[in-house]
């Protein structure tokens, strides 16, 4: 995904809420706890009862969006029009399932990889279209696509199999949640659940020591699938992965001289850590493990972090307070340079590649609109990019679903 080049010059109980108010409005030097130090009350297990629909979007959020679109309010109406005008909303789409999806590095070979990802995004798109319009044709088409895949797919193979499974496995449960819990009539919902449990979950639940966006996308899929399956054990395992990976993906100065490492990473020397961070040896608030690789992959990671936290919040386990400091710095740092600020030579040699993509709406809405954190650069970039479309991998229509959404 190359969307341009950026060179030099391119540019969280009441007590807890009170604590966070001070935490995020105090100066960085105010001696606050480590950003990922988690209050015991926040270390709750998976919910006793899962909320549905509850993967990335909730019923209150969907109702908010539907109301805004019906009223012709912006930016939701233009975002809705963008979605409905896309190939993913087509009522004539024919799914292209296959038994084995084989994906190599850089999608070479690409045997069903693009087809699977795009069919999953289409199912999600159609489920949103169903809810907003209440036109059953969209629900029927979403079901048709999900049924086509659940009847056929058996495995993902080759080197990119974990990532591919993560990407498609992030979109499928979003669609399935909306259809199962807001539309009457999906006879094969059980078969779809079996597909997620047997084909997708085993590939993503144990994480990855590759670049951080891999494990984050895989964990997003694992969280969403766990919600749909109401699998508390897998949900807890995925949350544990998330808590180990986020501090190892986004650096903040409280970490010390070197970034944190994910459990089991094997990064036990300074040289190994720096090499893993793309050769970057100067660390600053918000730097991502993949910043010096390119902003696009960094965007994948930040997007998955936001999605996981959003699903957790819907499920009654608000993960945002644990990661807010890291995420707001990361979004702000990268937005600043994408907007055109001069890039210092100490940052990736003074050159950053590509752009974040349509990935800032969810995190910005949570941190700025709900938690009241000032995010000037992120706000500017988010508003500039509206309506945010799809990256054709696992991100889609987030201006529509999350812009200023209080749900």
């Amino acid at each position: 995904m190359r969307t341009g080049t950026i060179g030099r010059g391119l540019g969280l109980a009441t007590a807890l809420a009170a604590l966070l108010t001070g935490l995020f409005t105090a100066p960085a030097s105010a001696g606050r706890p480590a950003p990922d130090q988690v209050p015991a009350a926040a270390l709750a297990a998976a919910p006793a009862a899962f909320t549905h629909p509850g993967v990335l979007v909730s019923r209150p959020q969907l109702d908010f969006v539907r109301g805004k679109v019906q009223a012709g309010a912006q930016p939701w109406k233009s975002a809705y029009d963008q979605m409905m005008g896309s190939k993913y909303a087509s009522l004539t789409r024919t799914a292209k399932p296959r038994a084995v999806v084989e994906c190599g590095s850089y999608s070479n070979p690409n045997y069903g990889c693009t087809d699977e990802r795009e069919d999953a995004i289409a199912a999600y798109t159609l489920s949103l279209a169903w809810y907003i319009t209440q036109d059953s044709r969209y629900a029927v088409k979403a079901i048709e696509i999900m049924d086509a895949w659940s009847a056929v797919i058996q495995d993902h193979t080759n080197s990119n199999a974990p990532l591919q499974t993560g990407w498609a496995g992030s979109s499928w449960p979003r669609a399935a949640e909306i259809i199962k819990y807001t539309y009457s009539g999906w006879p094969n919902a059980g078969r779809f659940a079996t597909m997620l449990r047997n084909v997708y979950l085993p590939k993503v639940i144990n994480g990855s020591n590759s670049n951080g966006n891999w494990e984050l996308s895989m964990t997003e899929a694992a969280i969403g699938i766990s919600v749909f399956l109401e699998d508390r054990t897998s949900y807890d395992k995925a949350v544990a992965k998330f808590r180990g990976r986020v501090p190892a993906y986004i650096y903040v100065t409280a970490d010390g001289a070197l970034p944190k490492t994910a459990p089991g990473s094997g990064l036990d020397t300074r040289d190994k850590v720096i090499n893993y961070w793309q050769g970057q040896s100067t660390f600053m608030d918000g730097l991502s493990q993949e910043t010096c690789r390119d902003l696009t992959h960094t965007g994948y990671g930040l997007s998955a972090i936001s999605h996981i936290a959003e699903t957790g919040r819907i499920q009654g386990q608000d993960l945002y307070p644990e990661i807010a400091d890291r995420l707001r710095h990361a979004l702000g740092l990268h937005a600043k340079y994408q907007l055109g600020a001069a890039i210092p030579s100490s940052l990736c040699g003074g050159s950053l590649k590509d752009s974040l993509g349509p990935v800032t709406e969810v995190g910005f809405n949570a941190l700025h609109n709900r938690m009241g954190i000032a995010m000037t650069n992120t706000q500017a970039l988010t508003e500039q990019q509206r309506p945010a479309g799809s990256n054709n991998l696992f991100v889609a229509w987030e201006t529509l679903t999350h812009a200023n959404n209080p749900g």
Side-chain angles (χ1 to χ4, degrees):
M1 306 279 303
R2 301 296 184 197
T3 52
T5 299
I6 301 177
R8 294 178 182 270
L10 180 66
L12 173 245
T14 300
L16 185 54
L19 169 64
L20 285 164
T21 299
L23 185 70
F24 294 114
T25 56
S29 60
R32 63 181 180 235
D36 36 271
Q37 180 177 335
V38 184
L43 290 172
F50 286 94
T51 297
H52 303 291
V55 176
L56 187 59
V57 290
S58 64
R59 189 183 292 268
Q61 289 175 302
L62 290 167
D63 287 340
F64 172 86
V65 172
R66 186 180 179 211
K68 291 296 186 182
V69 171
Q70 289 179 332
Q74 299 295 355
W76 305 275
K77 180 58 165 63
S78 62
Y80 168 78
D81 290 342
Q82 174 195 44
M83 180 184 80
M84 297 303 286
S86 75
K87 62 184 178 181
Y88 298 117
S90 172
L91 288 170
T92 61
R93 184 180 191 88
T94 299
K96 298 179 180 178
R98 61 172 64 211
V100 177
V101 174
E102 182 178 357
C103 309
S105 297
Y106 298 97
S107 294
N108 183 24
N110 181 341
Y111 298 139
C113 315
T114 301
D115 292 338
E116 179 189 33
R117 294 193 305 263
E118 295 196 348
D119 277 347
I121 292 173
Y124 175 53
T125 301
L126 291 157
S127 72
L128 290 172
W130 143 248
Y131 197 89
I132 294 169
T133 67
Q134 295 293 290
D135 182 337
S136 63
R137 293 178 302 164
Y138 294 106
V140 169
K141 178 56 71 170
I143 289 170
E144 178 187 304
I145 293 170
M146 290 189 286
D147 283 355
W149 280 90
S150 68
V152 172
I153 191 166
Q154 299 174 9
D155 200 8
H156 297 87
T157 64
N158 214 314
S159 58
N160 269 25
L163 181 60
Q164 171 73 17
T165 309
W167 282 341
S170 293
S171 297
W172 285 132
R174 297 178 204 157
E177 280 280 301
I178 295 172
I179 295 300
K180 182 175 180 179
Y181 292 99
T182 73
Y183 180 76
S184 58
W186 184 12
N188 291 316
R191 189 178 74 194
F192 191 82
T194 298
M195 175 194 80
L196 292 180
R197 182 180 297 281
N198 295 342
V199 179
Y200 289 81
L201 190 57
K203 278 284 197 299
V204 298
I205 193 61
N206 293 314
S208 166
N209 287 321
S210 185
N211 282 301
N213 82 87
W214 277 51
E215 183 160 88
L216 288 163
S217 288
M218 293 165 67
T219 302
E220 178 184 349
I223 290 275
I225 290 168
S226 297
V227 170
F228 186 70
L229 297 178
E230 298 194 326
D231 183 336
R232 302 178 77 249
T233 299
S234 294
Y235 181 96
D236 285 343
K237 184 171 183 176
V239 169
K241 281 287 181 187
F242 177 75
R243 286 177 162 144
R245 173 56 69 178
V246 176
Y249 194 69
I250 302 170
Y251 175 86
V252 289
T253 54
D255 293 340
L258 288 173
K260 295 191 175 188
T261 58
S265 68
L267 301 174
D268 52 4
T269 68
R270 181 178 185 276
D271 286 348
K272 287 180 182 179
V273 170
I274 290 174
N275 181 64
Y276 185 59
W277 283 65
Q278 321 298 324
Q280 177 74 4
S281 58
T282 301
F283 302 97
M284 60 205 72
D285 280 328
L287 185 74
S288 157
Q289 179 256 318
E290 297 184 271
T291 301
C292 296
R293 179 185 184 187
D294 59 64
L295 298 197
T296 301
H297 285 87
T298 298
Y300 298 165
L302 300 184
S303 181
I305 290 169
S306 302
H307 294 168
I308 292 164
E310 189 73 2
T311 295
R313 186 191 64 83
I314 294 168
Q315 296 305 323
Q317 183 182 37
D318 195 350
L319 298 165
Y320 279 115
E322 300 176 29
I323 60 151
D325 201 47
R326 294 181 189 276
L327 184 57
R328 62 114 169 177
H329 277 302
L331 288 170
L333 178 75
H334 298 90
K336 173 183 176 179
Y337 294 118
Q338 186 170 328
L339 287 166
I343 303 166
S345 60
S346 59
L347 177 59
C348 309
S351 179
L352 295 174
K353 295 191 298 183
D354 302 343
S355 64
L356 290 175
V359 304
T360 63
E361 289 277 13
V362 177
F364 175 70
N365 184 54
L367 302 184
H368 178 72
N369 295 330
R370 295 199 195 110
M371 297 178 70
I373 301 171
M375 301 174 71
T376 305
N377 290 319
T378 306
Q379 180 170 359
L381 181 61
T382 299
E383 293 176 351
Q384 180 185 103
Q385 294 186 151
R386 286 177 176 167
S390 175
N391 69 356
N392 305 308
L393 300 173
F394 71 105
V395 177
W397 325 124
E398 294 183 357
T399 296
L400 177 64
T401 57
H402 288 83
N404 304 327
N405 196 323

